[in-house]
C-alpha cells in the first residue's frame, strides 16, 4: 500500500475507535446518572413513607401555655417546660392517641394565639370567665382556685379587702388577678404589671409594691420560695375554676378532651398529679 494511504487508513481507524470510545463513555455516564436518580428517588420515597407513618402513629395536639406560673407550668432547671398542667394535658392527649406539642408564650397573648389557630387548645391555669367564653369554649373545670393577697410578713397596712384600695399591687399581665386588682379592688397597677409571676413577687420582696394579687396555689409556691413573703388570711375572694380552652368551632376536640379528662380522673392519674404538685 502506498505510504500516504496507509496513514490515512490508520487515522481513519483511530478516529472511529475514539468516537466509539467516547460514545461508550457517554452511555456509561448516562447509566450512572440514571442509577443515581433511581437511588435518590427510592430514598425520597422511603423518607416520605416514614414521615406519613410517624404522622399516622401520633397526631400532635398543639397546646398554648405561659410557663411563668409554677407549679402549673414553668421551666425547670434543665430548661424543660413542665408542671401540673403540662403533665395533665400530656395524659389527656395520650388518651386521645395524640402527642403534645407545647407553645410557650405570654399569658395575655394566649387567647389570640388560640383564636388565630396557632394552637389547638390552652392548658395554662386559665380561669373560666364569661368574658373569655365570648371568644372561646372551655372543657369541664379541672381545678378550683381563688385569688390570694401576698404581702411582706412585716406588712402593717393591709388587713382587709378595703385596705387594698389605692395600694400598689403587682400582678401578672392579662390575668384575673390583674383585672380584679384594677377593676374591683381599686388597687394601683399603673407600673406593676408583669409578664412573669416571679417578677411581680419580687416587687413585693423589694418593697416596690404593697402586695401582689395572684392565684392561691401559685402564691403558696412563691411564699415557699421567698421567705419574707406571706399570704393574708381571711380575704374571702370569689372561687375560680380552671378549664382547658378550645376554639368555638372545635366541638369534636372539646368532646374528646372532656372524655379524656374524665378517663384521667377515673384511672388515678389526676390524683397522682395533685399529690405530686400540691403536697
Ligand atoms: N387563673 C388566672 C387567669 O386565668 C391566671 C392564669 C395565669 N396562667 C399562667 N400560665 N400564667 O387569668
Amino acid at each position: 500500500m502506498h505510504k500516504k494511504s496507509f496513514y490515512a487508513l490508520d487515522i481513519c481507524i483511530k478516529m472511529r475507535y475514539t468516537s466509539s470510545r467516547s460514545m461508550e463513555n457517554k452511555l456509561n455516564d448516562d447509566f450512572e446518572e440514571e442509577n443515581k436518580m433511581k437511588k435518590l428517588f427510592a430514598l425520597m420515597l422511603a423518607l416520605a413513607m416514614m414521615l406519613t407513618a410517624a404522622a399516622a402513629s401520633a397526631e400532635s395536639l398543639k397546646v398554648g401555655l405561659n410557663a411563668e406560673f409554677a407549679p402549673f407550668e414553668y421551666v425547670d432547671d434543665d430548661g424543660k417546660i413542665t408542671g401540673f398542667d403540662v403533665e395533665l394535658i400530656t395524659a389527656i392527649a395520650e388518651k386521645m392517641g395524640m402527642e403534645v406539642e407545647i407553645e410557650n408564650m405570654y399569658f395575655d397573648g394566649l387567647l389570640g394565639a388560640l383564636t388565630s389557630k396557632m394552637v389547638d387548645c390552652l392548658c395554662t391555669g386559665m380561669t373560666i370567665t364569661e368574658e373569655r367564653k365570648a371568644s372561646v369554649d372551655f372543657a369541664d373545670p379541672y381545678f378550683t382556685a381563688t385569688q390570694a393577697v401576698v404581702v411582706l410578713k412585716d406588712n402593717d397596712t393591709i388587713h382587709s379587702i378595703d385596705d387594698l384600695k389605692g395600694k400598689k399591687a403587682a400582678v401578672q399581665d392579662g390575668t384575673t388577678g390583674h383585672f380584679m386588682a384594677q377593676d374591683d379592688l381599686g388597687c394601683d397597677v399603673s407600673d406593676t404589671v408583669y409578664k412573669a409571676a416571679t417578677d411581680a413577687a419580687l416587687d413585693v420582696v423589694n418593697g416596690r409594691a404593697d402586695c401582689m394579687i395572684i392565684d392561691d396555689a401559685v402564691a403558696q409556691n412563691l411564699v415557699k420560695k421567698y421567705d419574707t413573703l406571706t399570704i393574708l388570711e381571711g380575704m374571702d375572694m370569689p372561687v375560680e375554676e380552671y378549664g382547658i380552652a378550645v376554639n368555638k368551632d372545635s366541638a369534636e376536640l372539646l368532646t374528646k378532651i372532656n372524655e379524656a379528662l374524665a378517663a384521667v380522673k377515673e384511672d388515678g392519674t389526676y390524683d397522682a398529679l395533685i399529690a405530686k404538685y400540691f403536697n
Side-chain angles (χ1 to χ4, degrees), residues 54-247:
S57 71
E59 207 186 320
S60 71
L61 178 72
K62 276 198 185 169
V63 181
L65 54 74
N66 167 247
E68 300 279 3
F69 203 62
F72 294 95
E73 43 269 330
Y74 57 97
V75 182
D76 73 10
D77 294 338
D78 302 325
K80 203 178 138 239
I81 295 172
T82 187
F84 178 82
D85 283 344
V86 178
E87 291 206 47
L88 178 67
I89 195 67
T90 304
I92 286 174
E94 207 171 288
K95 294 265 183 228
M96 293 161 48
M98 295 176 95
E99 241 162 46
V100 154
E101 211 179 292
I102 302 282
E103 298 282 344
N104 184 18
M105 48 194 121
Y106 290 142
F107 186 78
D108 63 320
L110 284 169
L111 283 172
L114 178 60
T115 52
S116 65
K117 310 270 167 98
M118 266 175 71
V119 294
D120 303 314
C121 68
L122 307 176
C123 184
T124 186
M126 185 173 273
T127 303
I128 303 171
T129 66
E130 289 309 314
E131 290 82 356
R132 289 171 180 161
K133 267 161 76 177
S135 57
V136 299
D137 279 346
F138 284 96
D140 297 334
Y142 68 88
F143 200 87
T144 305
T146 183
Q147 293 301 308
V149 182
V150 179
V151 292
L152 280 176
K153 277 180 181 157
D154 61 9
N155 146 73
D156 57 7
T157 55
I158 305 171
H159 307 285
S160 69
I161 295 256
D162 284 344
D163 292 341
L164 287 168
K165 248 184 221 110
K167 294 289 188 310
K168 236 180 200 303
V171 293
Q172 192 182 25
D173 203 3
T175 60
T176 44
H178 177 188
F179 302 133
M180 184 179 284
Q182 168 186 285
D183 305 331
D184 307 327
L185 304 170
C187 298
D188 169 14
V189 296
S190 53
D191 61 353
T192 46
V193 178
Y194 293 94
K195 295 292 182 193
T198 313
D199 290 336
L202 282 174
D203 255 16
V204 185
V205 172
N206 299 329
R208 232 191 128 248
D210 302 304
C211 65
M212 170 189 196
I213 313 289
I214 194 135
D215 302 44
D216 51 355
V218 177
Q220 276 152 22
N221 204 64
L222 289 165
V223 162
K224 264 189 223 152
K225 195 164 157 188
Y226 302 104
D227 65 0
T228 52
L229 295 182
T230 188
I231 295 171
L232 283 182
E233 297 293 327
M235 288 285 127
D236 199 23
M237 300 284 200
V239 169
E240 300 182 16
E241 282 184 313
Y242 294 170
I244 296 165
V246 300
N247 271 307

